[in-house]
Amino acid sequence: MASNIEKDAVSGQDTTGHEWDGIRELNTPLPRWWLWTFYACIAFAALWVVLYPALPFSTGLTGWTARGAIGEEMARHAAEQEPRLVAIREATLEEIRSEPALRAYAMAGGRVAFGNNCAACHGAGGQGAPGGFPSLADDDWLWGGSMAAIQQTIAHGIRTAEDDQARTSMMPRFLADGLLKAPQVDDVAEHVLDLSGRATDRAAAARGATLFAENCAACHGDRGTGNREMGAPNLADQVWLYGGDKRAIVQSIAYARGGVMPAWGARLDPAVVKMLAVYVHALGGGEAE
């Protein structure tokens, strides 16, 4: 192979001895600047491995880690925010609402906390979702839409075993527990439809009215307008948590519903709970105290 090496007449460079279809390969050395850059990169990498956590189970001589740096940054951020959080903790909801600076801070913090903790169920804008996730942007409330009522619900949750102050309501499973027969459940569903002017069978609705008075009115009221003290929904306003067609109503009467909301008071700072209450109240359906 060495016997094929010759000097190129044009460039003056030696060839490698390789030839393809009359084309000879030049043995041109790499530029010095490229070689020195390459060597410098090798040296830098070796130094980095020694100083920083470049290898498994090693933190390097500096002891620096990305996790540690984030922890320090979060601690610094928390320290910067603490005076404002103290102000929120010590203020009443009414004071937060009436003080522009506190309200602005609470709204900003509540928006972030809502996105992190609540939007997965209630939607990014609080519009709710089918399957038992209520809208927080309308004026239909199971437990009350005042700022204090909202704070209570957020802090202690609904039907959750983790908080003994959780809001609790329990609707009987009228068919599953043998309290009513299937035809009677159907009649009650017709009456519930009639409460909002949607009954399709007047005779069934009339029979259902008697059954409703005997079994449902104690919680939902004679006209089905609900009872916030018990978390009993309004059945006459055409706002439905689990669906308002007859099939969904029959399902609710026959087997009941029992959605659960976490008690955020055990998971979030009290200031964050207050900020959430202020933010949710401002979504569009909040009521006066």
Side-chain angles (χ1 to χ4, degrees), residues 147-211:
M147 212 178 292
I150 294 170
Q151 181 188 18
Q152 173 74 13
T153 302
I154 294 171
H156 300 291
I158 298 174
R159 301 186 195 89
T160 175
E162 63 186 290
D163 193 312
D164 57 8
Q165 296 185 59
R167 297 192 184 278
T168 302
S169 63
M170 188 61 65
M171 176 174 167
R173 303 183 305 162
F174 285 100
L175 180 62
D177 293 337
L179 301 174
L180 296 175
K181 299 184 182 303
Q184 293 175 308
V185 170
D186 190 83
D187 289 347
V188 174
E190 281 292 339
H191 175 65
V192 171
L193 288 171
D194 189 46
L195 290 174
S196 55
R198 297 181 296 133
T200 58
D201 186 331
R202 290 295 175 185
R207 295 191 300 270
T210 301
L211 292 167

Side-chain angles (χ1 to χ4, degrees), residues 75-162:
R76 185 168 57 254
H77 176 74
E80 292 172 354
Q81 297 301 316
E82 186 60 20
R84 295 182 180 180
L85 293 177
V86 168
I88 294 290
R89 292 190 200 104
E90 294 178 349
T92 65
L93 291 171
E94 185 56 40
E95 288 171 341
I96 294 172
R97 180 166 55 182
S98 60
E99 172 58 43
L102 280 180
R103 178 178 171 80
Y105 184 77
M107 286 292 293
R111 183 181 299 107
V112 174
F114 188 91
N116 291 340
N117 300 282
C118 314
C121 292
H122 292 284
Q127 72 274 14
F133 306 109
S135 170
L136 306 176
D138 60 16
D139 58 0
D140 192 83
W141 297 90
L142 283 174
W143 302 94
S146 68
M147 212 178 292
I150 294 170
Q151 181 188 18
Q152 173 74 13
T153 302
I154 294 171
H156 300 291
I158 298 174
R159 301 186 195 89
T160 175
E162 63 186 290

